[in-house]
Amino acid sequence: MKPNTPFLVVIPARLASTRLPNKPLADIAGKPMVVRVAERALMSGASRVVIAVDDQSIFDACKAHGLDVMLTSKDHPTGTDRLSEVVSKLNLQDDEIIVNVQGDEPLIPPDLITDVAQTLSQHPQASIATTALAIHDLAEVNNPNVVKVVMNQSHQALYFSRSAIPFSRNPEQHQAQCYRHIGMYAYRASFLKKFSQLPPAPIEEAEALEQLRALWHGHAIQVLLTDEAPPPGVDTTEDLERVRQVFNALGKS
């Protein structure tokens, strides 16, 4: 898919991981996981894909595969702060669009990367674009590990929560549609330049959801509704084995 508006992809990759040590370098069918993620991102039509790393070992692995990689600070509290450093070092213009692709999603659909970038491009009033999916399972609605989003009629985010929102006070008469937030983001460079100076918001700290900082400070988040959730990322050894099996099957086919 050829994108209408140029955009960059930045892949933050941090060596430390409590559940899966050295996660970005985990082997998947002969290549480090972060390299597999970058290969998917390059299929999106992005004008540039930059891997933002915090350790020389990841830097060297990416360079060995001919990828565009940048060594960034080890001290960033969030991946968004790491993106802000990249924006500063690349001296990007305020209106440039940057898609944040997590370094542990080697099966991310390239079209989804493209679509979230174009969504932000088509909504100039928004600082951020993200994605969501309708929920049809009540257990998922009530699961605090599944983040929900409520939108207005223009599909701008009103609030994100781990709780069941909107709450159906009388479900027998009206069962509200809930939407699961999918954590892929496109940002305007102008927002990323400001992000690290924005103080954390009380609602952000209460929910442990970083995107609430943007809403708290008055930044609009446009939500793209998608019909299918992307494959889950890699957080555990079990996740890693599942992804390895997928790539092995693809190699055999």
Side-chain angles (χ1 to χ4, degrees):
M1 178 185 297
K2 182 67 174 177
N4 298 319
T5 301
F7 64 93
L8 287 77
V9 169
V10 178
I11 304 171
R14 185 169 153 268
L15 189 64
S17 173
T18 53
R19 288 190 283 180
L20 191 60
N22 300 332
K23 182 163 65 169
L25 299 176
D27 181 83
I28 298 177
K31 294 181 182 179
M33 176 160 55
V34 69
V35 172
R36 293 294 186 186
V37 176
E39 289 175 341
R40 300 291 284 181
L42 286 164
M43 295 166 63
S44 70
S47 56
R48 185 175 181 182
V49 174
V50 180
I51 306 168
V53 306
D54 72 343
D55 190 89
Q56 189 67 42
S57 61
I58 314 175
F59 183 93
D60 293 343
C62 294
K63 276 294 184 184
H65 287 84
L67 297 170
D68 192 349
V69 59
M70 178 182 295
L71 194 61
T72 56
S73 171
K74 292 180 180 290
D75 299 328
H76 290 308
T78 70
T80 313
D81 289 293
R82 199 171 304 283
L83 262 67
S84 298
E85 181 182 346
V86 173
V87 167
S88 176
K89 285 185 172 180
L90 295 180
N91 196 28
L92 299 182
Q93 298 300 307
D94 284 353
D95 60 349
E96 292 194 62
I97 292 174
I98 301 95
V99 179
N100 178 8
V101 173
Q102 298 299 324
D104 58 4
E105 297 191 72
L107 297 174
I108 190 74
D111 283 354
L112 187 59
I113 300 172
T114 308
D115 290 346
V116 75
Q118 298 312 310
T119 296
L120 184 56
S121 172
Q122 293 160 10
H123 294 86
Q125 77 284 3
S127 298
I128 304 169
T130 190
T131 57
L133 177 76
I135 300 175
H136 303 291
D137 181 353
L138 187 60
E140 196 170 341
V141 171
N142 293 316
N143 183 349
N145 294 316
V146 175
V147 177
K148 275 69 69 173
V149 58
V150 170
M151 299 162 281
N152 66 14
Q153 62 181 347
S154 301
H155 289 180
Q156 280 190 1
L158 295 173
Y159 193 67
F160 297 85
S161 181
R162 298 183 183 278
S163 297
I165 57 170
F167 177 76
S168 295
R169 185 171 181 179
N170 192 342
E172 293 181 0
Q173 293 183 2
H174 181 264
Q175 182 64 57
Q177 176 64 65
C178 294
Y179 292 90
R180 170 188 165 192
H181 177 229
I182 299 169
M184 171 174 282
Y185 296 96
Y187 300 96
R188 296 194 192 281
S190 56
F191 172 82
L192 290 172
K193 290 175 183 178
K194 300 172 186 174
F195 177 80
S196 59
Q197 280 74 50
L198 295 177
I203 54 174
E204 169 195 3
E205 294 176 330
E207 297 261 16
L209 295 175
E210 182 185 327
Q211 63 270 36
L212 290 173
R213 188 184 312 183
L215 291 183
W216 177 265
H217 290 284
H219 291 275
I221 301 178
Q222 191 69 35
V223 181
L224 168 69
L225 295 182
T226 181
D227 295 328
E228 186 175 352
V234 176
D235 288 319
T236 66
T237 53
E238 292 79 12
D239 295 335
L240 180 59
E241 183 56 35
R242 170 182 50 80
V243 170
R244 284 171 170 165
Q245 291 175 2
V246 171
F247 272 88
N248 289 336
L250 290 172
K252 290 176 182 177
S253 64

